[in-house]
Amino acid sequence: MNLRIGIVGATGIVGMELLSLLEERKISVAALRLFASEKSTGKRVYFSGQTFPVEKLEMGKLENFDYLFFCAGTSVSREFIPAAAASGICCIDNSSAFRGYDDVPLVIPEINPHALLGHKNIIANPNCSTIIALMAIFPLHQMFGLRRFCAATYQAVSGVGCSGMRALEEEIADSHSLAEKIFGERILSNAIPKIGDFSPNGYTSEEVKMLNESRKILSLPDLRVSATCVRIPVKRVHSIAAIVEFHEPFDMRLGEQILQQNNSIDFFQHNEFPCPLRRENMDNVAVGRLRSDTFLDNAVSLWIVGDQVRKGAALNALQIMEKLELLRLPKILRQGPETASGR
């Protein structure tokens, strides 16, 4: 890969993580441009031995890219992505702006990379909690057939960006004004069972995302999902307690083996378990507390932990780009060197 890459929202928590991952994963970047709001214009950001200026986001600047990563929120994505995609640039969007569109792939590369085929230059990155939950549930679904699941999420303050992390830091320093502005409540020593706005049926928008996105990613339009999403005073790692019911009887030994052998999962056996404090900056999702459910037949209870900024956002977006490059490569090879060079 020798790619021309742009990052919109480059000074935010996900944008900065993307830059770190580009360097860490040794992506060959031919050209890099960074965009952010006017207040960040003029800042310089370090990447791969040099510094790059942060530019004000303007429509005329979004050209001559192979990939644009959008990490700046729904309104920005809706304003800028359609024109960029129409010009031939592949846009990978971290917001919820296009996730519900039938012709926009919603992709976790380990689960549904086939959805990338025939894309129209807009690809949606799923919600962080959905990514982390399905990374653990999907391998079991392949063997036992998912019927439905119930999830309680314990979500880090990084889910609302840098402001959420600052709010927690301020509370630790004995100031809670920002926390109440961001979360509606104090966050330190607290648990807030509201993420997003309430819908008429009493579920929040975050909880509805887990239902709708799971159905789309797994191609299970009738899948039943019930979620309760809770914000807790943890920096950047989400945890999820899930009860998962299958169509087939669940074999505990086989389930453990499936999770152990999955290269994207760190499986904790017996009485060991993952905690968010120890999972920061980890690529893999961690799974533990696997046990037969005492409430439902053919069901298992499990505990899932994953870095929201990394696999829940930036890493998944970058893996989408890597998968697209792999899907593109065979076409070039089949053309042969002369055809591919235009001769």
Side-chain angles (χ1 to χ4, degrees), residues 16-329:
M16 295 301 292
E17 191 78 8
L18 260 172
L19 280 169
S20 177
L21 285 166
L22 283 168
E23 192 164 5
E24 182 180 316
R25 295 171 80 87
K26 296 181 171 57
I27 304 297
S28 181
V29 180
L32 176 68
R33 293 179 71 181
L34 308 177
F35 302 96
S37 63
E38 193 168 3
K39 66 180 181 180
S40 295
T41 301
K43 291 182 179 179
R44 299 193 70 88
V45 174
Y46 182 85
F47 174 76
S48 192
Q50 55 184 309
T51 60
F52 291 80
V54 177
E55 305 175 48
K56 181 182 177 182
L57 180 60
E58 296 174 338
M59 190 67 72
K61 296 179 179 179
L62 299 183
E63 55 187 20
N64 299 320
F65 292 101
D66 297 305
Y67 294 95
L68 277 171
F69 292 93
F70 281 79
C71 314
T74 300
S75 60
V76 172
S77 293
R78 286 178 176 158
E79 180 178 356
F80 290 95
I81 284 180
S87 72
I89 300 170
C90 184
C91 300
I92 301 173
D93 184 27
N94 279 283
S95 82
S96 62
F98 299 98
R99 290 175 187 162
Y101 286 48
D102 290 339
D103 60 347
V104 174
L106 182 66
V107 177
I108 301 173
E110 296 92 338
I111 295 176
N112 63 331
H114 55 275
L116 293 169
L117 298 172
H119 71 84
K120 299 177 181 178
N121 289 330
I122 304 176
I123 298 157
N125 210 24
N127 177 263
C128 48
S129 295
T130 304
I131 292 173
I132 292 166
L134 293 189
M135 283 296 295
I137 292 171
F138 176 70
L140 301 175
H141 160 60
Q142 288 182 296
M143 177 59 64
F144 304 107
L146 178 62
R147 183 183 179 194
R148 57 187 175 178
F149 71 90
C150 178
T153 72
Y154 305 86
Q155 297 184 214
V157 296
S158 59
V160 295
C162 294
S163 61
M165 298 186 76
R166 284 198 302 271
L168 177 59
E169 290 167 358
E170 284 193 8
E171 277 223 62
I172 293 171
D174 202 28
S175 171
H176 56 267
S177 58
L178 181 58
E180 290 181 348
K181 180 180 178 181
I182 298 298
F183 305 115
E185 300 276 352
R186 297 186 65 168
I187 187 65
L188 191 64
S189 303
N190 205 3
I192 305 171
K194 176 186 177 292
I195 301 178
D197 298 324
F198 283 110
S199 60
N201 64 2
Y203 284 85
T204 66
S205 55
E206 187 82 356
E207 293 156 359
V208 173
K209 287 174 189 176
M210 184 167 281
L211 167 64
N212 293 335
E213 294 181 21
S214 296
R215 287 176 168 179
K216 184 173 181 178
I217 293 165
L218 299 176
S219 298
L220 296 174
D222 298 321
L223 178 68
R224 293 185 177 185
V225 177
S226 179
T228 301
C229 294
V230 184
R231 188 76 67 192
I232 62 170
V234 169
K235 284 186 178 180
R236 55 177 282 165
V237 178
H238 288 358
S239 302
I240 302 169
I243 300 172
V244 187
E245 185 182 13
F246 302 98
H247 290 288
E248 300 296 327
F250 184 80
D251 183 299
M252 181 62 66
R253 181 174 294 182
L254 180 57
E256 290 179 350
Q257 185 178 10
I258 288 168
L259 294 173
Q260 286 171 341
Q261 294 176 350
N262 190 298
N263 292 331
S264 299
I265 291 173
D266 293 332
F267 181 66
F268 286 66
Q269 299 185 71
H270 308 303
N271 294 327
E272 296 183 351
F273 48 86
C275 290
L277 187 61
R278 297 181 181 272
R279 299 302 302 182
E280 289 187 4
N281 301 306
M282 298 279 191
D283 288 352
N284 281 4
V285 167
V287 180
R289 298 295 316 278
L290 196 70
R291 59 207 187 275
S292 296
D293 190 67
T294 58
F295 183 64
L296 295 172
D297 295 330
N298 299 347
V300 64
S301 294
L302 65 163
W303 175 250
I304 310 162
V305 179
D307 189 311
Q308 177 270 328
V309 183
R310 207 167 178 93
K311 181 55 183 170
L315 177 59
N316 198 77
L318 193 58
Q319 288 173 319
I320 288 172
M321 184 192 76
E322 292 172 335
K323 185 63 69 173
L324 284 167
E325 287 298 296
L326 289 174
L327 291 171
R328 188 176 68 88
L329 183 60

